Amino acid sequence: MAKASRMTKQKRLILEILRGTRVHPTADWVYQQARQVIPDISLGTVYRNLRLLCEAGEIMELSFGSTFSRFDGNPLNHYHFVCRQCGRIYDLDLPLREELEEEVRRAGYEVEHHRLEFYGRCPECARGAGNP
Amino acid sequence: MAKASRMTKQKRLILEILRGTRVHPTADWVYQQARQVIPDISLGTVYRNLRLLCEAGEIMELSFGSTFSRFDGNPLNHYHFVCRQCGRIYDLDLPLREELEEEVRRAGYEVEHHRLEFYGRCPECARGAGNP
DNA sequence: ATATCTGCAAATGGTTTGCGGAGGA
DNA sequence: TCCTCCGCAAACCATTTGCAGATAT
């Protein structure tokens, strides 16, 4: 059976914040934004709702090398670029490569999804500096 | 200039442990193994050396969704499969798809490397159970 | 000789959780 | 109504760090 899940104003706000940005924010960034609308929202509530929204498939949690998670308001599989200089994370406009999964299935695995990320320097940082 | 870096018996042991396993262990697993050889090695030393070995390019740090890192004694780029049932991580024997990076370069990014992971159920878990 | 490394233990910091009260369905 | 969610604050736990002594080079 489906899980019970209420739409509270906190959850709705968090979802709006995530859908309205392209920055792949951290939980704390979402918290700072949310406080501007609901000043006494708590960080615990932000974490709880980020978790709930992930489980509901409304958003995506991204964990790169860093010690903290980032979140993406677009739950559809897509690829990312991580700039090692400025730390920004970009959505890439590449078509999904489903055929990669086929190769893995041939090896006997049940593949549900895959994740592809590129690391390097973003156009903006490359323009600014010759050497990192 | 290159950083100074000593080869201590602790660092050598940690590198041997990582090269001698296929399990993509956590820092604590490495620590437990290391204690069987150097009983008074400390967890802090394990973390410090894992960091140093990463920076030296001898090993790789892997961060999946979990709250803790895993480490891979093979620093050459290769792809992984993560079983959502047993949690094991497998090295995949797929050829590198360097051409994926080309597409991203065409969009203006300086790509240094990429990372590709597959998620699902491993052959062993798939054999054991019909429904997760 | 000496700068780096070690063991120890405490600190850090992102994330989770227990609680009693509030509020969505 | 009633069950889930909230705010608060403490707990959690992987990882980092300060220190004084040890050790690789």
Side-chain angles (χ1 to χ4, degrees):
Chain A
M1 303 318 173
K3 299 202 168 177
S5 180
R6 287 182 190 166
M7 180 52 66
T8 61
K9 63 173 189 279
Q10 290 88 344
K11 188 191 285 185
R12 181 163 31 239
L13 173 59
I14 288 168
L15 188 52
E16 274 169 19
I17 289 171
L18 268 148
R19 291 202 173 137
T21 184
R22 303 167 56 80
V23 305
H24 304 83
T26 62
D28 195 69
W29 189 93
V30 173
Y31 172 55
Q32 299 304 339
Q33 298 293 309
R35 289 211 310 182
Q36 300 179 13
V37 181
I38 304 177
D40 68 343
I41 194 173
S42 80
L43 185 53
T45 295
V46 171
Y47 274 105
R48 262 184 297 236
N49 279 311
L50 288 171
R51 162 88 71 99
L52 288 172
L53 289 167
C54 277
E55 289 172 4
E58 301 277 0
I59 66 174
M60 258 174 116
E61 182 172 1
L62 308 173
S63 62
F64 302 102
S66 25
T67 57
F68 44 82
S69 287
R70 290 171 171 276
F71 296 87
D72 192 325
N74 174 8
L76 270 45
N77 192 9
H78 59 282
Y79 303 145
H80 291 102
F81 180 90
V82 182
C83 178
R84 70 152 156 67
Q85 188 163 328
C86 67
R88 265 177 295 201
I89 292 164
Y90 295 84
D91 287 324
L92 292 175
D93 192 22
L94 292 186
L96 277 200
R97 299 303 206 90
E98 302 286 358
E99 77 273 13
L100 293 169
E101 298 186 356
E102 276 314 311
E103 284 190 70
V104 181
R105 290 201 180 90
R106 235 171 277 139
Y109 297 90
E110 284 183 7
V111 183
E112 288 162 0
H113 60 103
H114 68 279
R115 188 178 143 174
L116 174 57
E117 292 146 16
F118 298 86
Y119 295 82
R121 225 154 42 146
C122 71
E124 195 164 322
C125 286
R127 199 177 309 123
N131 265 345
Chain B
M1 304 314 177
K3 298 201 169 176
S5 180
R6 289 181 189 167
M7 180 51 68
T8 61
K9 62 175 190 281
Q10 290 88 344
K11 186 191 287 184
R12 180 163 34 240
L13 173 59
I14 288 167
L15 188 51
E16 275 170 19
I17 288 171
L18 268 152
R19 291 203 173 136
T21 183
R22 301 166 58 80
V23 304
H24 304 83
T26 63
D28 196 69
W29 189 93
V30 173
Y31 172 57
Q32 299 304 338
Q33 298 294 309
R35 289 212 310 183
Q36 300 179 12
V37 181
I38 304 179
D40 67 345
I41 194 173
S42 81
L43 185 53
T45 295
V46 171
Y47 274 105
R48 263 184 297 237
N49 280 310
L50 288 171
R51 161 90 71 101
L52 288 172
L53 288 167
C54 277
E55 289 172 4
E58 301 276 0
I59 67 174
M60 258 173 116
E61 182 172 0
L62 309 173
S63 63
F64 302 102
S66 24
T67 57
F68 43 82
S69 287
R70 292 172 170 275
F71 296 87
D72 192 325
N74 175 9
L76 271 45
N77 192 8
H78 59 282
Y79 302 145
H80 291 104
F81 181 91
V82 182
C83 178
R84 69 152 158 67
Q85 188 161 330
C86 67
R88 265 177 294 200
I89 292 164
Y90 295 82
D91 288 322
L92 292 176
D93 193 21
L94 292 186
L96 277 201
R97 298 303 207 90
E98 302 286 358
E99 77 274 12
L100 294 169
E101 299 188 357
E102 277 314 311
E103 283 189 71
V104 182
R105 290 201 182 90
R106 234 171 278 140
Y109 297 90
E110 284 183 7
V111 183
E112 287 162 2
H113 61 101
H114 68 278
R115 190 176 139 176
L116 175 57
E117 291 145 18
F118 299 86
Y119 294 81
R121 224 153 44 145
C122 71
E124 194 163 322
C125 286
R127 200 177 307 124
N131 265 347

